[in-house]
Structures are given as C-alpha cells and as structure tokens.
Amino acid sequence: MSEQSTPGTGTRSDVMISLRDVSKRYSGADAEAVRPLSIDIERGEFLVLVGPSGCGKTTTLRMINRLVEPSGGEIWVDGKNATRVDADELRRHIGYVIQQVGLLPHMTIGENVGLVPKLLGWGKDRIRQRVTELLDLVGLDPDTYRSRYPKQLSGGQQQRVGVARALAADPPVMLMDEPFGAIDPITRGHLQDEFLKLQARIRKTIVFVTHDIDEALRLGDRIAIFDENARLAQLATPLEILTNPADDFVRSFIGDGAALRRLALLRVGDLPAVPGVGIRDGVEVEPDETVSAVLEKVLAAGSDSAVVRGRGSLTVQDMLLATAVRDESAVAT
Amino acid sequence: MSFFDYVSANSEIIGFLLLQHLQVVLLAVGFATAISLGVAIGTERLPRVRAALLATSGTILTIPSFALFGLLIPVFGLGVAPTVLALTVYAIFPILRNTVTALETVDGAVIDAATGMGMGSGRRLRIVRLPLAWPVILNGIRVATIMVVAIAAIGAAVRGPGLGELIFRGLSRIGGANALNEALSGVVAIVVVALLLDVLFLLIGKLTTPRGLHV
Amino acid sequence: MTRVLTTRGDAAPRSSASAGTTGDAPRSSPIVPLVAALLVAGTLIYIKTADLDAIETRSLAIGELLVRLAEHVQLVAVSTVVVVALGVPLGILLSRQAAGPLQAPVLAVANAGQAIPSIGILVLLALLYDVGFAMAVVSLVVYALLPVLRNTMVGLRQVDRSIIDAARGMGMGSRRILFTVELPLAVPVMLAGIRIALILNVGVATLATYTNAGGLGDLIERGIVFYRMPILLSGCLLTIALALLVDWLAGVAESRLRPRGL
C-alpha cells in the first residue's frame, strides 16, 4: 500500500480497492453501463454490489480484474493502479468466482484448484500441499475429491471447488459474481453460512455481486445498491439500509418486512439488557447471537425471556421494542 | 470363379492397393487437418475472413471430384500428386467447420473463469479451448476421412493410386470372366477401409477425449 | 463423387444436413453464378481462339458441347425427380410410429452407404445389368436416395414434440398434424437433403461417361484418354460451372421454399 501516493484522494493505508470515477460505456450504447463511481473498499471488508439486472453491478466487478476495460476513471488494487499493470498478472492475484463456476471439465478437482499456483510457477509439492489445505478449508475431503472430475460433483460441491480455486494463490482480493445464484435455496443457505465462517478466518477483501437483497443483507459488511439506471442509490451497512433506506427505490428493493429482517442483523449483546432480572427462567444465549435467533429459541422453549451471558435478561417485548427504539433514534440522527 | 476365390487368388494385389489407398487418404487428411487447424486458429480475430474461407471450402465440396481431379492434371500431371491434392481440398471443409464450431462453442463460463485466473489467449487456447474442442474436431476429421476414402476411388481415373484401380479395371474388361469380381473386390475393399477407419477414429476418440468429459 | 451427407454426433447435427449451410452466410451472393458465368465464357473464348487439332475441334464443337450438357442435365433432372418421388414418401412412412423399429437400421444403412464409392455403384450396376442412360439413372438414384430419405426422417423427428401435442390437444388427427404441422416444420431439413441429392447427382453424372451414358464427363474422359489438355480443361471447367450454378440455384430455391417464420 505504500506506493499509493496520488495526491488529493485521501490516501488511507487500509484501503484495498479504490474505484475512482470509474465508468463504462459500451460502444454504440446510449447510456453508460456504469456511471462514474467512486468507492473505497477497506482491507478485509466484504462489500456487496446489489441491484436489478442491467444495473452495472457485474460490469463494475469485472472492471476490477479488467475482464471489462473501464472507459474512464482509475481502479487501484492493493496500492497499484490496476488499469496500468499487465491484466493477466493482475488476475493471478485476484480470486474470481462466478455463478456458473467454470471449472475446467477436462481437469481433475486437484488440477483445477492448483491451476493458478501452476501459472505462478509454484513447485509440484507446494501445489499439492496447497490443494489439500484448500479442499479441507472448503469442507471437501482431499483424498476423496482431489482426483474426481467436475462433472462428478453436485452444484454446491462444484462451487466449493470454485471458491477453493479462487483462494489458491492466497490472493488478498476476491471477486464473486453471484457465486451461489445457481444453487438450490437450502444448499445456498449452508454455503452462505460456511462462507461467512471462512471469511471470519481468512479476512479477504471481497467484492460480491448478487441480485438477492437477502443474500446481500446476510453477507455484506457494506452494501452498494444500484438502480436499473446504474445509479448508486445507497452505500451503507445492512442495518443502516434497513433502518434508513435512502429513497423509494431502495425501499421498494428491500421489499416488505424491513423491521423483521432487522432482527436478523441485530445482536442481542447490543440491546440494553436488564441486569440480574429474570435470570432463573430465561433461555441462556450468547451476546453475539442475532435477535431473531434468540427470539426463535425463546419462543421454541415456551419461555418469554432470554438471559444474555454477562449482560442480563431480555424479554420478548424488550427485544421487539429495542429494535423499534433504535429505529427512531436512527431516524432522528 | 466365385468372388471369394477371386479375392484369395488376388489377395496380394488387393492388399497392396488397399495400403496405397490408406496411405493416400491419411496423407490428405493429415494435410487437411493441419490446414484447417491453422486457418481456424489464425482467423480467430478475423471473423469475415474465416466466414469467407469456410464458405469457399464448402463451395469447393460441390465441385464434382472427377472435374477437380481432371483440372489438376495440366499442372501436376497424372498420378499421386493430383489425387492427394484434390482429396486434401475436399477434406478441409468438414474439419474446418467442426474446428470453428467447436472453438466457438466452448462454454463461455469456463473461458471467463480461465481469463479471470490470469490465462492469456495463448494459454486459454492450449490449456482450455483445444482440449475441450478436441472431440468435435476429431469427429470432423473422421467424417472427412470416410468421405475421402470414397472419393479416392475416382483418383484411379487420373491414374491415381489405390483401390479405384480395381473398379476401373473391372469396367475395362466388361463382359470378361472376372470383370465383376474385380470391380466388386475394389468396392468391398473400399467399404472395408472406410469401416476400419471409422472404428479406428471412434477408438482414438475414446482414448484421447479428456477423461473429465465423459465421466 | 461423395459428399458429407450428415454425420453422427456432429458439431451441428441439424445444419450439417446440408454441407454448405454452416458459416456461409453469403449463400445467395451473386459471386457464385458470376464465377460460373466467367468459367463458361472463358472456356468458350479459349475454344474459339486456341489452335486446336482435329480431335479437339470435333470434341469441342458448340453442337457437341450442347449435346453433352443436355445429357448431363437430363441425367441429373430425371434422377433427382425420381429420388424425391421415392425418398420423401418413404421417409414419411418410415417416420410414422408403426415403422418405429425400422428407423434405426435404415438410418444406420443410410449412414454406412456413404462409404460406398459412387463409381463403384455405377460400374457394378453396369457390369451386372447394362450400360447406358437408364442404368446410369438407377445408379444416381440409388446413391442420392440416402440423403433425401435420411433428412426427411430426421426433419420429421426433430419437430418439437410440444407443438405436436398442442396440435393434438386442439383436436387435429394424425394425418392433419402431418400435413399442417410436421411437414411444414420439417421442410428446411428436407430441402437441405434434396439439395445434397441434387449436387451428388451432378457429380456422379460426370462419371456416367464410363458406362456410356454421356454427360460432360465425356469431355474429361476423352481429354485424359487422348491426353488433350484443351478437351480436358473445357470439360472440367464446364462441369464445375454447372455444379456451381446448380448449387446456387438450389440454394436460392431452398431459401425461397422455406416456410416463413422458421
């Protein structure tokens, strides 16, 4: 990051990807596919680009590894001007995961995962070791899966391999284009959970494209919502977006039930608990559990309150009201 | 003399002509394959040139082979050269068409992923596209081969090598004792060559198709 | 003369039914008939201006050329009509449900038939029966029947089942479905097969000279036998011009006859 020294751009050492007035206009098209866009993405941040089809989210993503060349502006990745370096070299240091996975069907899982390290000239043993490590990491038994072919795997398994392949050379940045879009809803939920856990360990800088607002709310540290005219409608945390939609478009894109969805994002540890009261008959929970998960536990237990470890107790009503109070206070600021 | 008696009495000459036939065909198909792959790969960024060459090679296929063989005589004389050249020209279209189609229809997601992981166009062609296109290309080569085996018979009209000679000799002895046997042995041997090559190519296809494609 | 009829497991199974359909968008481009016209004109000018000996002069007289051309066209026309008259109804019959078990073997034979050299059929029939025009027509028909039969069957078979279901659902009988739904939708593939048959006939007819049935191949053969390049070249160029012209006309007819909307 030390080489980044362009004046006047508010250089911050923890910015990993910086989009500066990046735009894209395809020749022959009237409107810009991507309007001049500036976003700084911090090291280790999980940014989700979300919006209806044609909003430019995928184009934006593909400009970062230059699968699409920007028409204007600059993109800096890890302190280097990505628009100036050799595109192939750039791509070998950026993980890339797409909806259709795109595993090479004529190569084994092991060969697929080891492809980028091979392109980078790693030795055989080092590649083999790395493949083992990665298959373990994404929850596929290396002995079983290394020598299988992509066609022998289910969609969910293939995408795990896709993620492992993207992580192969330990790139600091991962670009993910609707990676779970073609997977059945139940498996998708599992993969999202697993991926969040994985991300908590590896702390990559991730740019993730989806059209599914629920997926965005679930995964993103921040979310950029685009409308169909490629306008950036809002860039904020999930909670902020649910609490304070910037405009009607964002409101309609979130859809109904914003208040209930907020429960899935708030952690009980953040709510004002009453110390010491009702300790006996409450369900015991951890402070980092979400309000909706705690409500589910409380209701399932036939109880009416929860005891948050080290904090105090919360009644069902506390939990529901607390979110409402936060709502008002948020609106007020 | 029955057909089988005739064949066993003349097995040596039939075998010799069969080998000749095989050689001429494989030589022509080899040339055509090299030319087709070269053209297909060389015109990747020249879609109009590619379309024009494909159309031309398709149109050449409508030219009666007897006329094409004949046309080459003033330049190359009689014999092997005009035969191989004409067969090569005919074999190009099926191979070129399949190569172009196969390279163009490789799954876009796979190519996108390959590009995304930092493969340049040369690597993409070598590591991804050619291996994936290979079964279809090979099928084009097979089709061209079977076709050329039959056309090669007409090469005998310009004193070309191969089994066509038996057919024309039989014809020239029309009414003679073994005329029919002779012509029939030529026709049967040509069909045998075609079937053998067909099986051979299916076998090659089985052996060379990347395992991941047919698991 | 043999052509790619169509192939098992081809890259583009449907369009490959006509060897020339893939990738040659400028099919009806005027270049092809222009080339044909130039070939004819060039040949005629060459004949008029070249210093020809007695054999050459006799073989290349305008009247002689026209006779050969007429023989050639007759062979092609008669055999193509017979091929269509036999191949299309037979293909329809074979594609009916009752003929189900026959389909695979017939298609297999049709495919394997490509391996038989055309000159072989011509010569064998001549040796077995007779030489001359009629027997040549029989050879041409035998050889060119396969693509028509095959494409008729394939064309009918590839009609979307849901469209036939829909037709049945609105109360059409099987005969009505055949004539108002299946055949019109199969026409492009059938036409491609007929065009291939036509081109095959032009090609095989050049060999009919070997069984005394005349045609432009006469000139080529005479050129080779007497080693007279003017005769050989004139024969070759006129044959090529005819083939190009016939294929071009067939292409034009093919695109005209194809039902709109397909």
Side-chain angles (χ1 to χ4, degrees), chain A residues 67-82:
Chain A
L67 287 172
V68 173
E69 291 290 343
S71 317
E74 286 182 352
I75 297 173
W76 289 68
V77 176
D78 206 1
K80 291 181 196 114
N81 188 338

Side-chain angles (χ1 to χ4, degrees), chain A residues 123-192:
Chain A
K124 250 186 170 176
D125 291 341
R126 189 175 164 208
I127 294 177
R128 194 179 162 78
Q129 202 182 336
R130 181 68 180 151
V131 169
T132 307
E133 202 177 300
L134 284 163
L135 289 179
D136 264 334
L137 191 68
V138 298
L140 294 172
D141 177 34
D143 294 333
T144 314
Y145 289 99
R146 183 197 301 278
S147 52
R148 295 216 178 155
Y149 285 97
K151 274 190 187 163
Q152 296 169 306
L153 269 57
S154 72
Q157 289 171 328
Q158 287 191 21
Q159 195 54 286
R160 285 166 204 256
V161 178
V163 171
R165 178 177 66 180
L167 289 169
D170 202 17
V173 174
M174 294 254 282
L175 305 179
M176 308 183 79
D177 191 358
E178 304 217 21
F180 309 133
I183 291 165
D184 70 273
I186 293 172
T187 313
R188 188 190 310 154
H190 288 313
L191 286 177
Q192 288 168 347

Side-chain angles (χ1 to χ4, degrees), chain A residues 67 104 118 121 127 129 156 167 211 228 239 255 259 268 280 296:
Chain A
L67 287 172
L104 308 191
K118 199 172 161 189
I127 294 177
Q129 202 182 336
L167 289 169
H211 62 267
E228 53 272 272
L239 202 57
V268 284
R280 287 211 183 141
E296 175 72 31

Side-chain angles (χ1 to χ4, degrees), chain A:
Chain A
M1 294 304 295
S2 52
E3 303 112 275
Q4 184 182 349
S5 57
T6 319
T9 48
T11 311
R12 277 173 27 206
S13 65
D14 55 350
V15 170
M16 177 56 104
I17 303 173
S18 179
L19 308 182
R20 301 173 186 176
D21 284 323
V22 175
S23 64
K24 179 66 189 179
R25 183 193 292 273
Y26 288 102
S27 55
D30 284 339
E32 280 168 315
V34 174
R35 299 212 209 164
L37 178 69
S38 297
I39 301 179
D40 280 349
I41 304 160
E42 288 177 17
R43 191 176 289 272
E45 182 176 5
F46 196 137
L47 177 76
V48 179
L49 310 177
V50 67
S53 49
C55 73
K57 54 188 192 295
T58 294
T59 307
T60 303
L61 183 91
R62 288 166 65 89
M63 285 194 290
I64 297 173
N65 65 358
R66 293 206 10 227
L67 287 172
V68 173
E69 291 290 343
S71 317
E74 286 182 352
I75 297 173
W76 289 68
V77 176
D78 206 1
K80 291 181 196 114
N81 188 338
T83 32
R84 297 251 176 85
V85 299
D86 176 66
D88 287 332
E89 193 55 33
L90 172 80
R91 290 174 193 143
R92 287 174 200 170
H93 298 282
I94 296 180
Y96 181 54
V97 185
I98 55 176
Q99 179 175 353
Q100 310 87 333
V101 194
L103 296 178
L104 308 191
H106 58 304
M107 295 187 186
T108 63
I109 300 307
E111 287 168 337
N112 266 285
V113 175
L115 204 49
V116 175
K118 199 172 161 189
L119 291 176
L120 291 170
W122 291 19
K124 250 186 170 176
D125 291 341
R126 189 175 164 208
I127 294 177
R128 194 179 162 78
Q129 202 182 336
R130 181 68 180 151
V131 169
T132 307
E133 202 177 300
L134 284 163
L135 289 179
D136 264 334
L137 191 68
V138 298
L140 294 172
D141 177 34
D143 294 333
T144 314
Y145 289 99
R146 183 197 301 278
S147 52
R148 295 216 178 155
Y149 285 97
K151 274 190 187 163
Q152 296 169 306
L153 269 57
S154 72
Q157 289 171 328
Q158 287 191 21
Q159 195 54 286
R160 285 166 204 256
V161 178
V163 171
R165 178 177 66 180
L167 289 169
D170 202 17
V173 174
M174 294 254 282
L175 305 179
M176 308 183 79
D177 191 358
E178 304 217 21
F180 309 133
I183 291 165
D184 70 273
I186 293 172
T187 313
R188 188 190 310 154
H190 288 313
L191 286 177
Q192 288 168 347
D193 283 344
E194 278 175 30
F195 190 65
L196 278 178
K197 282 184 196 146
L198 184 63
Q199 166 64 357
R201 284 168 61 191
I202 58 181
R203 286 322 247 169
K204 300 293 179 191
T205 306
I206 296 173
V207 184
F208 188 107
V209 162
T210 180
H211 62 267
D212 176 359
I213 185 68
D214 287 311
E215 186 170 62
L217 292 168
R218 188 168 183 189
L219 297 177
D221 294 328
R222 277 196 301 164
I223 297 174
I225 301 188
F226 297 87
D227 69 13
E228 53 272 272
N229 299 318
R231 179 184 64 94
L232 176 61
Q234 189 166 13
L235 171 62
T237 63
L239 202 57
E240 174 70 10
I241 283 173
L242 284 176
T243 314
N244 280 323
D247 57 20
D248 284 346
F249 171 77
V250 176
R251 205 165 289 124
S252 75
F253 195 73
I254 301 168
D256 293 331
L260 285 176
R261 284 174 179 179
R262 268 203 307 275
L263 299 179
L265 296 170
L266 284 172
R267 319 244 157 224
V268 284
D270 297 338
L271 302 187
V274 183
V277 181
I279 283 175
R280 287 211 183 141
D281 48 345
V283 177
E284 270 196 57
V285 296
E286 300 293 326
D288 65 345
E289 290 188 62
T290 65
V291 177
S292 65
V294 171
L295 277 170
E296 175 72 31
K297 282 186 182 175
V298 170
L299 295 174
S303 173
D304 64 352
S305 62
V307 178
V308 184
R309 186 204 292 270
R311 303 291 168 95
S313 76
L314 285 168
T315 64
V316 169
Q317 202 168 15
D318 285 337
M319 287 186 257
L320 294 175
L321 283 179
T323 60
V325 167
R326 282 181 66 96
D327 197 352
E328 276 164 31
S329 66
V331 170
T333 45

